[in-house]
Amino acid sequence: MSAYDESRLTVVDHPLVQHKLAILRDKGTSTKDFRELVTELAVLEGYEALRDLPLEEVEIETPLEKMTAHKIAGKKIAIIPILRAGLGMVDGILTLVPSARVGHVGMYRDEETHEPVQYYCKFPPAVEDRTCLIVDPMLATGGSLTAAIQFLREAGVKDIRALTLVSCPEGVKAVLDFDPDVRLYTCVVDRQLNENAYILPGLGDAGDRIYGTK
Ligand code: PRP
Ligand code: URA
């Protein structure tokens, strides 16, 4: 497989992330713990993905004296979960940016073709002016994420960042080749896809593990 543009890929491999990922992957992890870990990982990853948020100077007064401090310069942010599994990451990002709007893209993978099938799409007002964080725990073939990116580009969005927890080389390449500007954040790039387009070693079906549907 040919290489991809690594300058647009950030692997968030902080020790806390690796520790939580190890528990997340374990087949013995309960639905409750899995859900909580997805939220915690979204917080840690979101912190990195928002590292370049613009700041503005504000004059404040501490109990001792006046000073110039810095606050986020009113950047508009939208979180775009890919249903279902992406919903599991929304609360984590909202912990960081409580005022963010949330749009939804509903898609599932056809079990035979592995192609994404869209069933819902709703974005917040003025989505084109917002920094959009697409969230989905799994990046496998890349079909779901590239479709979500395409919907946002068609809506005029310029700043798109995709946050996944577990990816594979095939999916990373598909996404970075599909869109020349998207920035991709993931906690790990696993070995490969299997014949059913599941990530190896992966963690299984993220949606089923978040919602306890299997
Ligand atoms: C999973 C996952 C991604 C997609 C990744 O969702 O959450 O959306 O598969 O695969 P891809 O990169 O090959 O498109 P799934 O289709 O299982 O739906 P769910 O979230 O409703 O379980
Ligand atoms: N979707 C998942 O939930 N897991 C995979 O490994 C691939 C796609």
Side-chain angles (χ1 to χ4, degrees):
M1 173 172 307
S2 53
Y4 39 75
D5 177 4
E6 291 201 4
S7 69
R8 289 185 290 124
L9 171 69
T10 302
V11 179
V12 182
D13 59 358
H14 189 285
L16 285 171
V17 168
Q18 296 193 43
H19 178 86
K20 290 177 193 298
L21 257 185
I23 306 171
L24 190 78
R25 288 180 189 275
D26 194 314
K27 67 179 184 183
T29 295
S30 70
T31 300
K32 169 183 169 291
D33 288 349
F34 191 94
R35 200 183 292 140
E36 288 174 0
L37 285 159
V38 168
T39 299
E40 291 166 14
L41 284 162
V43 174
L44 295 168
E45 192 173 38
Y47 177 81
E48 275 304 317
L50 296 172
R51 183 173 277 284
D52 63 346
L53 276 185
L55 295 171
E56 63 186 5
E57 291 187 349
V58 289
E59 301 304 319
I60 61 161
E61 201 170 341
T62 77
L64 299 177
E65 62 179 24
K66 290 186 176 172
M67 69 168 285
T68 303
H70 294 89
K71 285 189 172 176
I72 304 231
K75 186 81 178 163
K76 290 179 171 174
I77 290 177
I79 308 166
I80 313 289
I82 300 178
L83 309 181
R84 286 177 301 171
L87 276 180
M89 296 175 68
V90 172
D91 284 351
I93 308 289
L94 283 174
T95 305
L96 300 169
V97 203
S99 60
R101 302 295 180 93
V102 182
H104 297 86
V105 177
M107 266 184 284
Y108 66 87
R109 290 198 318 176
D110 182 283
E111 286 185 7
E112 300 293 321
T113 65
H114 310 135
E115 292 290 322
V117 180
Q118 188 206 339
Y119 58 89
Y120 187 75
C121 190
K122 181 141 185 153
F123 297 142
V127 70
E128 66 276 12
D129 298 329
R130 298 178 185 274
T131 290
C132 287
L133 306 182
I134 304 175
V135 293
D136 189 331
M138 308 305 284
L139 171 55
T141 66
S144 306
L145 186 49
T146 53
I149 292 168
Q150 186 169 351
F151 298 147
L152 286 174
R153 291 291 184 219
E154 285 168 1
V157 178
K158 291 169 278 303
D159 186 357
I160 302 179
R161 305 169 189 202
L163 281 68
T164 69
L165 300 184
V166 178
S167 303
C168 61
E170 297 90 330
V172 170
K173 179 169 166 47
V175 167
L176 296 180
D177 285 356
F178 175 78
D179 188 289
D181 295 315
V182 69
R183 288 155 62 178
L184 179 59
Y185 297 82
T186 189
C187 296
V188 69
V189 181
D190 272 5
R191 194 175 73 244
Q192 66 184 93
L193 289 178
N194 72 8
E195 61 283 5
N196 295 318
Y198 272 80
I199 298 171
L200 296 175
L203 49 71
D205 188 303
D208 282 339
R209 294 196 66 183
I210 291 172
Y211 297 110
T213 44
K214 214 166 223 175

